Structures are given as C-alpha cells and as structure tokens.
Amino acid sequence: MLTVEKIGGTSMSALQDVINNIILFERTGDQLYNRIFVVSAFSGVTNLLLENKKTGEPGVYHKIVNLQDFHKPIKNLIVKLKAINKQYEPLGLDLATADQFIEKHVLEAQTMLDNLANILASGYVSKTGILQAAREILASIGESHSAFNFTNILQNMGINTTLVDLSGFNDPKAYTIDQRIKRAFKNIDFEKTICIVTGYTKGKEGIMREFDRGYSEVTFSKIAVLLKPQEAIIHKEYHLSTADPALVGLDNCMPVGYTNYDIADQLADVGMEAIHPKATKPLEINGINLRLKNTFDPSHPGTLITREYISEQKRVEVITGTDKLLIIDVYDPLMVGNVGSDLQIMQIFYDNNVSYTFKATSANCISLVIWERDFDKKLISDLEAKFEKITVEKAAMVCLLGSNMDEPGLLAKSAYALTKKGINIMSAGFSLRKVNIQFLVEREHFEPAIISLNEVLYS
C-alpha cells in the first residue's frame, strides 16, 4: 500500500520515537518501503528563521525587513542547528557530514540574502518581491536540515532511503511547484525505498506567497494528488480529540475516530487546523482519505477524514473554539429597511483584507467576529466614516462540530450547560446545515465553557 505521510515539527524533534513508532513499527524488510515522508523543520527552527508563529518574536527575516545586520543571527543559527545535530548523533547521524552540510547551506543562503539586502537598500526596486524571496530562502533551510539528517540516520541504519530535496536551493531553473514535484518523483521505484521529502518546495509562483507557514502541508497535499496513494497520513504529537485534553483532562476526551472534510474546514475556521484548509481541498476533490495519527500512540488508528463520512449516530464530534477574537458591532438607525448596508460593510472588510468568522444581524446593527491579529485601526475608521457607531469588544468562541448532530434539544442542552456555570452567551448561531453551532462568550469564560459543554455532552 503506497502512502504519503507528513511528520510535524514537534514529532520530528523526537526522532527516536519517529523511527520506532512510524518507520519501524510492526514492519520489517520490504514492508518498510512504499512510503513517502514529507518532513517539517525540527521544532522551533522556522521560528528562528522567520518569526515565532505564536508570539510573533522576530527571527532572521525581520532583520532583513528592517535593513539591520543579520550576519550575527545567521552565525547564531548555525550554532543552534549544529547543536540540534549533536542531539541526533546517538541515533547514528554522521555528525561531521551533517555539520558540514548545514554550515555550507546556511552560508550559501547568506550570500543570496546579502545580494537581496543590497538591492533592497539601493531603493531602486519594490520591497515586496525582494522580501518574498528572502522569506522563501530562509524557510527552505529548516526542511533541508531536517530531511538531510533524517535520511542520513535511516541510511546508516541500513534502510534504503532516498532524499527528495524540493528546495531547489542551487537549481536556477524556473519550475512551478507542481513541475518540480513531478520531476523529483518520476524515476523513483517506491517499492524499494523510503522517500524523505523537504516540506518546502521551490516554485516560481512562491509557495509562501499564498500559503505562508502552511507550506509543508501544501507540499504534502500536492505530492498525494500526484501519486494517488491509498491513504494520506499526518503524524502529530496529539490525537484529534473530542475536546482539548489540556483543558478537559485526558480521561474526559477521546480520539474523534472518523469525520469528514467539512468538519476539518470548520476546525480550520477557528484556528484548530487538522491540516491547512488550502491543502485539504485537493485531497477532498481527488477522493484521497486523510488519516491523523499520534506519533506517540502508534497502535491507535487515529482519525480518518473522508469526503463521504456521516456519523450513523447523532453526536457532537468535536468541542473546540478560540479566545483570540474581537466582536465588531456596526450600529446605524438608518439600516432598517435600507438595502445594501451589509454590502457596504463587506466592501470595507474586503478593502482592508480582513475576513470574519461569525456574523449576526438585527434591524439596526450587524455584528462581525474577526481574529484579534487581523485588527486594524484603519478598518474601524473606514467603518466609522459610513456608520453611526462602531463598538469593538474582546470575545471567545466555543463550537460544537459534527457531521450528524441535528438533534432536537442539542441547542437547549448546550445553552443550559453554559447557563448553569454562570456563563453569559453574548451571541450564538448556526447555518442550515448544522455542522457547527457557535457560542460567543466573554474571554475569561472560554475554558469554563469548553469544560462545561464537555461534561454535559460526553457524560
């Protein structure tokens, strides 16, 4: 059975577990092969190169953006990458070879970045293209590093392993992303080798321009669409669970088991990405099933996501949400009976490149929920120029997701679960398809709301 698999950064940092639980688990001889592994950078490396994904702490990239000297951060980067190499020497990594590879790679990247920085400093060209190129060069380092090390270790274990480097680091040919992937795999006999593939793919359209930090999952998806595996698999450090174990406790939740791509999209909409939403669509359209597995629980089948799945029993499959939202309430007494108020608001959101995750309306006001990270004073000033009163409040959203949960009383039961804990519902809603029931609550009530709903719906 041919599989295309993706290993996340946190899992990659636990390479011994990856080898035991993914590569070797219940496999010997030829059973080891017919698998393609797309790997992320080791945990934290891309944060050093670009910026911390959660905190926004700047990496090397932002030194270039601000026309600051980035040579010292590059030297520090080499030291840190070599320290990572040292950790994997006991697994069989040829330390001298690995250190030589990454130092040469980073210094070559520095030369390219120097050229870009000089062009940028000249003031003769637009920043956009130059900075995009710098971001791509830096991003490619992380996956080249992890893929090289992983391949070297497996080869030294006597496993036939092929490194598929899609970073195109010293390849000046202008391939599209799809062309580069197709060329890289055309002469490989999958039945006789494991393929270790960089999560970053160089392409003339720029993989980060559209997908940014989701690029490794897009590479994974594109390879799966090309090779048509029996299954696509993502290995992460946790199960896709009915609720967050960190909030409700490990004993009070369970792996979801089965769901569909619609629910995967709903998860992505509240920031709980099982996979980047632009990576799921090609899999869904091509009828490729996606399995999510826990690297540290290899005997568990994980959760299978398919296009057609509908739960036989009416049930809530996932309780989730986020506390990083803002409610923007647009009020104007002239809205009632006035055609086009919603259109005007949407045009302002579009002009400011801001998307919303929830919307509720009444006669004279329209409330929209956005990610706090997308807040822009210009958006508010543009709205204030058109409407009488704009109010902005911090909020959290808790969601009930399920492929078949259109059950009488579910909304009432859920509202009661929140009410009995003293949690006020600021707003609520769901579409006709009823795959996502959403409650807006105050931020400080986010965790209690998740716990309360979990107690009532899974007791």
Side-chain angles (χ1 to χ4, degrees), residues 396-398 400 411 414-415 418 425 427-428 437-441 453:
M397 179 187 289
V398 291
L400 309 180
L411 182 60
S414 303
L418 298 176
I425 300 171
S427 186
I437 297 177
Q438 301 163 307
F439 297 98
L440 290 178
V441 300
L453 288 169

Side-chain angles (χ1 to χ4, degrees), residues 431-442:
S431 67
L432 187 63
R433 298 186 66 241
K434 296 184 179 68
V435 296
N436 185 354
I437 297 177
Q438 301 163 307
F439 297 98
L440 290 178
V441 300
E442 294 179 5

Side-chain angles (χ1 to χ4, degrees), residues 193-325:
T193 189
I194 285 175
C195 291
I196 304 299
V197 189
T198 56
Y200 173 86
T201 306
K202 180 182 177 182
K204 60 185 180 182
E205 66 269 49
I207 197 167
M208 296 197 72
R209 184 175 290 113
E210 184 173 358
F211 308 112
D212 202 56
R213 295 289 285 270
Y215 60 83
S216 63
E217 290 180 348
V218 172
T219 293
F220 160 76
S221 174
K222 285 180 174 292
I223 292 170
V225 169
L226 171 68
L227 300 180
K228 302 292 189 296
Q230 279 75 11
E231 204 166 80
I233 304 171
I234 294 181
H235 301 274
K236 294 198 173 187
E237 70 275 17
Y238 51 79
H239 282 295
L240 176 62
S241 299
T242 51
D244 185 349
L247 294 181
V248 305
L250 195 59
D251 294 335
N252 297 316
C253 61
M254 66 193 77
V256 172
Y258 295 92
T259 193
N260 61 36
Y261 279 109
D262 193 352
I263 301 305
D265 288 343
Q266 304 302 321
L267 285 165
D269 202 39
V270 291
M272 304 295 290
E273 290 182 10
I275 180 175
H276 193 287
K278 290 186 178 180
T280 58
K281 288 302 112 181
L283 298 177
E284 181 179 359
I285 291 167
N286 285 274
I288 299 170
N289 295 341
L290 174 65
R291 188 178 298 275
L292 305 179
K293 294 202 63 170
N294 184 337
T295 301
F296 307 103
D297 188 8
S299 60
H300 196 288
T303 295
L304 185 66
I305 301 174
T306 68
R307 187 167 55 184
E308 298 84 8
Y309 175 81
I310 301 292
S311 175
E312 291 182 3
Q313 294 82 32
K314 291 188 181 297
R315 66 181 180 119
V316 174
E317 291 165 18
V318 185
I319 301 171
T320 188
T322 178
D323 61 353
K324 297 176 175 59
L325 301 174

Side-chain angles (χ1 to χ4, degrees), residues 60-70 116-123 127 130-131:
V60 176
Y61 170 72
H62 292 271
K63 294 288 185 181
I64 299 170
V65 171
N66 295 315
L67 299 178
Q68 297 172 338
D69 179 39
F70 58 88
L116 292 178
N118 288 335
I119 295 171
L120 191 62
S122 73
K127 282 186 175 183
I130 298 296
L131 292 178

Side-chain angles (χ1 to χ4, degrees), residues 106-119:
V106 173
L107 291 178
E108 287 178 352
Q110 179 180 300
T111 299
M112 295 182 191
L113 294 170
D114 279 332
N115 293 334
L116 292 178
N118 288 335
I119 295 171

